Amino acid sequence: MADIIQLLPDHVANQIAAGEVVQRPASVVKELLENAIDAGADVIKLIVKDAGKTLIQVIDDGKGMSVTDARLSFERHATSKIRNADDLFKLNTKGFRGEALASIAAIAHVELKTKQDTDDVGTCIVIEGSEVTSQDVVVTPKGTSISVKNLFFNIPARRNFLKSNTVELRHIIDEFHRVALAHPSISFSLYNNGSETFNLPVSNYRQRIVNIFGNKTNEKLVPVEEDTEVLKISGFVGKPEFAKKTRGEQYFFVNNRFIKSAYLNHAILSAFEGLLKNGTHPSYFLNLEVNPQTIDINIHPTKTEIKFDDEHTLYAILRSAVKHSLGQFNIAPVLDFERDATLDTPYNLKGSRTEAPKIEVDSNFNPFQESKPPREQQNSSFKKAPSEHWESLYVGLESKSNGSASNFSELTFESEESTSSLFETKVTPDKANATYQFHNKYIISAIKSGMLVIDQSRAHQRILYEDFLKDITVKEGVSQQLLFPLQLHFSSQELEIVKQLQGDLEHTGFVFSNVTEESIEIKGVPVMVPESEISIILEQLISDVQNEVPDANFSATDLLAKSMAKSLAIKTGQSLQKDEQEHIVNKLFACKEPNVSPTNRVTFITVGVDELDKKFI
């Protein structure tokens, strides 16, 4: 029998490996930005076209590469970061696998220009699908410029699986934020389709957060500082009153590397216990510094998962540090009735030396000197003239009262007092199809063939969804004016989404009076929307749009109606009156598609009499 096992060609192996390293354009952005940081760059520029599908270019002013290094960098498992396996446990760089450039070059058109500071000219290499098409000498500034064009050009199946430009751009911006937040000492800029989206100068950590998420973020931050032998923590957490419905602003950095950890996230939530509303998540931007020998980064090619030697200790230290900061800045209430809060030492002055206060003495002060004027002169201006003829104030009132009495004698009154109401109350006898609420979740109604069980939340979502869809498409949304305009602050990325949907939102009843680069002002809302729910609705809408906005206008309109219906629908656990229950039942079966919710989940089931009879056999 012939041998059937054979080695795959290098370009095929690289395409297979690229599936793990390069999942979408954002993966390329992450790898290229991290390479620029490892090269010691001070200024990094990211240029993106068509959400990275057409072009991703990263330009840095790092140390650059020699001719040999530039050619060797595209070989598989070629790296300058480590030399042996022991180096994996003392990593101080972002990359170490040596797979990124080889994987990217296997599935895209790559052009690399690089030059070292000591060289007169640089090197330009062009690669298409792992094949080097040209290598020339080129005039280029110090550093490296790498362009990735036509991603997945030789794997059309992978390209077809990419999401819309809006979704892919959101992932790119997320990766850009993660890298930029971890390195405030480096200047970053992002250009999307020729326009500047972010320009982040060198700054401290707090200012970097504000530059990314808007000036309003500054007042939301509470500093967290802790230094132990095991763990050093620095960064900020958000105040509980600014907690969001989504998990967008949650960042952990371990040794300046962004990670995801559900375990450490639970430590933050436990520190906020009792301070958050149900369904909200706190914001945090925390840097954790640990000994590189106590962590293992080599878990997954994306390097966002880390194994810790002693997770329990890190959990306890992180939880106590956050809780201490919330208490120190009077965010969390303290049950100490004998404690005077004015005597607390400010957090930023803790451990500082105290100085004796300076005493100033007025040598000209004479306690026996009379500085007050005599009492008679002081009170002379407040004397009141006696009113001698006070009786004259009432002269003539008797005649006026007599005259008015004669006028009242001509008035006529109704024989009986009648009270009426705006709404006539009709006493209706209990019908056989009366509704009942079960466990504050289901509405049960009797029908001829048995009984109807309706999920109140899903049914109300269907009702609101069709109402909003009609308002948006027919453009007849009814609005109610607010007494005082409501101003909401969002990040620049979130505001762009609101501006895109502004027309559709206005058709539902929203009225925008002012839209700036950092906030929006609303002076009118749909009739059924309470003012307290506006920020929650818009946050949920932004989150839904970021995750799954399609390109078609009708689909975007459909998503807007779904999101608003989801936010405003009656929740499970809410008690309903009889008329509210009947209203939901009647409105549900007046819908075009009463069987399913907007998310295609069943809204009601029927239980026949025969099924009930079988239970009693």
Side-chain angles (χ1 to χ4, degrees):
M1 185 175 179
D3 298 332
I4 59 175
I5 297 177
Q6 58 182 350
L7 288 173
L8 289 174
D10 288 340
H11 68 279
V12 177
N14 287 338
Q15 284 188 13
I16 296 172
E20 291 186 358
V21 179
V22 183
Q23 299 170 354
R24 59 192 339 146
S27 306
V28 177
V29 170
K30 174 180 180 294
E31 298 293 344
L32 297 184
L33 289 178
E34 290 181 349
N35 282 346
I37 292 170
D38 288 340
D42 295 323
V43 179
I44 299 176
K45 183 185 295 184
L46 171 62
I47 301 172
V48 174
K49 288 185 179 179
D50 297 332
K53 298 173 184 177
T54 302
L55 172 68
I56 298 172
Q57 184 177 7
V58 173
I59 305 172
D60 67 70
D61 62 347
K63 56 189 177 183
M65 291 182 284
S66 64
V67 178
T68 305
D69 287 344
R71 180 64 185 84
L72 195 60
S73 64
F74 290 98
E75 296 296 329
R76 193 159 176 75
H77 303 305
T79 180
S80 62
K81 316 297 173 61
I82 62 174
R83 290 288 180 266
N84 51 55
D86 294 336
D87 292 342
L88 289 173
F89 295 96
K90 46 185 178 181
L91 287 171
N92 294 313
T93 57
K94 301 290 184 182
F96 54 87
R97 291 174 175 269
E99 293 180 324
L101 289 182
S103 299
I104 294 170
I107 55 173
H109 298 161
V110 179
E111 182 183 31
L112 171 69
K113 293 180 181 179
T114 183
K115 185 179 86 71
Q116 293 180 326
D117 195 19
T118 56
D119 296 337
D120 295 330
V121 292
T123 305
C124 176
I125 298 177
V126 179
I127 299 178
E128 297 181 2
S130 295
E131 295 183 4
V132 179
T133 59
S134 67
Q135 179 172 341
D136 300 314
V137 176
V138 68
V139 176
T140 183
K142 173 209 167 188
T144 302
S145 170
I146 182 166
S147 303
V148 179
K149 304 174 183 177
N150 304 324
L151 195 64
F152 299 122
F153 79 99
N154 52 357
I155 312 178
R158 289 293 299 273
R159 191 175 182 90
N160 292 336
F161 276 109
L162 293 178
K163 303 292 184 181
S164 66
N165 286 354
T166 308
V167 176
E168 294 298 340
L169 180 61
R170 180 183 69 86
H171 286 287
I172 289 175
I173 292 177
D174 285 345
E175 293 293 349
F176 179 80
H177 286 173
R178 293 167 183 175
V179 177
L181 283 171
H183 300 276
S185 60
I186 300 176
S187 174
F188 290 89
S189 57
L190 169 61
Y191 295 85
N192 175 37
N193 293 333
S195 62
E196 185 180 78
T197 305
F198 289 98
N199 189 354
L200 309 176
V202 176
S203 61
N204 58 29
Y205 191 46
R206 187 182 195 119
Q207 190 61 43
R208 177 56 58 88
I209 297 172
V210 172
N211 288 339
I212 291 177
F213 296 101
N215 293 331
K216 197 67 177 178
T217 311
N218 191 32
E219 66 184 54
K220 305 177 184 179
L221 301 178
V222 178
V224 179
E225 295 285 342
E226 194 65 51
D227 193 354
T228 66
E229 296 179 356
V230 181
L231 174 67
K232 181 179 180 181
I233 304 173
S234 62
F236 302 90
V237 295
K239 294 179 181 179
E241 59 264 32
F242 297 107
K244 293 189 173 184
K245 289 281 187 181
T246 59
R247 302 174 183 266
E249 298 177 1
Q250 295 184 342
Y251 295 90
F252 276 125
F253 301 98
V254 174
N255 296 350
N256 293 330
R257 184 191 302 275
F258 173 80
I259 68 159
K260 296 178 181 178
S261 174
Y263 188 67
L264 296 182
N265 179 69
H266 189 271
I268 304 292
L269 293 179
S270 62
F272 276 88
E273 187 176 2
L275 301 176
L276 298 174
K277 298 179 182 178
N278 290 334
T280 60
H281 306 278
S283 302
Y284 52 81
F285 312 87
L286 296 175
N287 297 306
L288 312 179
E289 292 185 23
V290 299
N291 187 346
Q293 296 182 354
T294 62
I295 59 176
D296 185 7
I297 305 172
N298 194 23
I299 302 297
H300 192 272
T302 58
K303 298 187 279 287
T304 56
E305 299 178 15
I306 289 183
K307 289 290 185 183
F308 297 94
D309 281 354
D310 191 358
E311 284 187 331
H312 299 290
T313 302
L314 300 183
Y315 182 99
I317 295 174
L318 182 60
R319 179 179 178 273
S320 61
V322 174
K323 205 160 192 175
H324 173 71
S325 291
L326 293 175
Q328 188 71 34
F329 288 91
N330 296 327
I331 305 299
V334 180
L335 291 177
D336 186 356
F337 300 104
E338 297 180 358
R339 169 178 163 275
D340 188 356
T342 59
L343 300 179
D344 289 345
T345 304
Y347 196 78
N348 55 352
L349 298 180
K350 186 178 179 181
S352 60
R353 298 181 60 185
T354 57
E355 297 179 358
K358 296 180 180 180
I359 301 175
E360 295 181 357
V361 179
D362 186 3
S363 58
N364 297 324
F365 176 71
N366 184 1
F368 303 102
Q369 181 180 359
E370 294 183 1
S371 59
K372 298 181 180 180
R375 189 174 185 83
E376 293 182 0
Q377 297 178 4
Q378 185 177 1
N379 297 333
S380 61
S381 60
F382 297 100
K383 290 183 179 180
K384 297 181 179 180
S387 55
E388 299 176 355
H389 305 287
W390 59 270
E391 296 91 347
S392 61
L393 297 174
Y394 300 94
V395 174
L397 289 181
E398 184 177 358
S399 61
K400 292 179 182 178
S401 62
N402 291 338
S404 61
S406 62
N407 293 332
F408 278 119
S409 62
E410 300 175 1
L411 297 177
T412 58
F413 297 92
E414 294 180 356
S415 59
E416 292 184 1
E417 182 181 357
S418 63
T419 58
S420 61
S421 174
L422 291 174
F423 305 99
E424 295 183 2
T425 57
K426 297 180 180 180
V427 180
T428 55
D430 292 338
K431 298 180 180 179
N433 59 347
T435 59
Y436 306 93
Q437 192 178 22
F438 182 66
H439 280 195
N440 288 345
K441 183 177 182 180
Y442 300 106
I443 299 174
I444 299 177
S445 178
I447 55 178
K448 291 182 179 180
S449 59
M451 67 178 180
L452 197 66
V453 183
I454 302 172
D455 187 307
Q456 65 183 34
S457 179
R458 296 181 188 177
H460 199 213
Q461 285 184 36
R462 164 54 64 177
I463 297 167
L464 293 178
Y465 167 70
E466 294 199 2
D467 287 343
F468 283 130
L469 204 58
K470 183 173 67 174
D471 290 340
I472 296 173
T473 53
V474 180
K475 299 176 174 53
E476 292 181 355
V478 181
S479 175
Q480 62 179 0
Q481 299 296 307
L482 298 176
L483 184 60
F484 300 102
L486 181 65
Q487 193 171 32
L488 300 176
H489 295 268
F490 295 103
S491 65
S492 57
Q493 182 185 358
E494 293 171 339
L495 280 173
E496 283 298 323
I497 295 174
V498 175
K499 291 176 183 177
Q500 292 173 9
L501 297 175
Q502 183 175 350
D504 291 334
L505 286 170
E506 289 174 345
H507 294 154
T508 63
F510 282 96
V511 180
F512 297 90
S513 56
N514 190 19
V515 180
T516 65
E517 294 182 355
E518 294 184 355
S519 65
I520 58 174
E521 192 175 76
I522 299 174
K523 66 177 183 180
V525 295
V527 174
M528 62 184 72
V529 177
E531 185 177 350
S532 59
E533 297 284 331
I534 296 174
S535 61
I536 299 174
I537 291 170
L538 290 180
E539 283 181 12
Q540 182 67 50
L541 174 62
I542 290 170
S543 174
D544 292 342
V545 169
Q546 286 178 332
N547 288 322
E548 53 174 356
V549 131
D551 292 328
N553 291 329
F554 176 78
S555 299
T557 303
D558 183 69
L559 179 66
L560 173 61
K562 285 181 181 177
S563 180
M564 292 183 62
K566 180 181 176 182
S567 301
L568 293 173
I570 294 171
K571 303 298 186 289
T572 298
Q574 184 173 341
S575 179
L576 302 177
Q577 301 295 329
K578 285 286 185 183
D579 54 347
E580 294 173 328
Q581 299 170 22
E582 294 175 0
H583 175 76
I584 287 181
V585 174
N586 295 334
K587 289 283 288 182
L588 175 64
F589 290 99
C591 293
K592 294 181 179 179
E593 293 287 342
N595 298 322
V596 292
S597 69
T599 54
N600 289 325
R601 305 178 72 180
V602 177
T603 56
F604 68 89
I605 61 170
T606 56
V607 181
V609 177
D610 296 338
E611 296 180 43
L612 291 174
D613 290 340
K614 292 178 182 178
K615 301 292 183 182
F616 292 94
I617 294 178

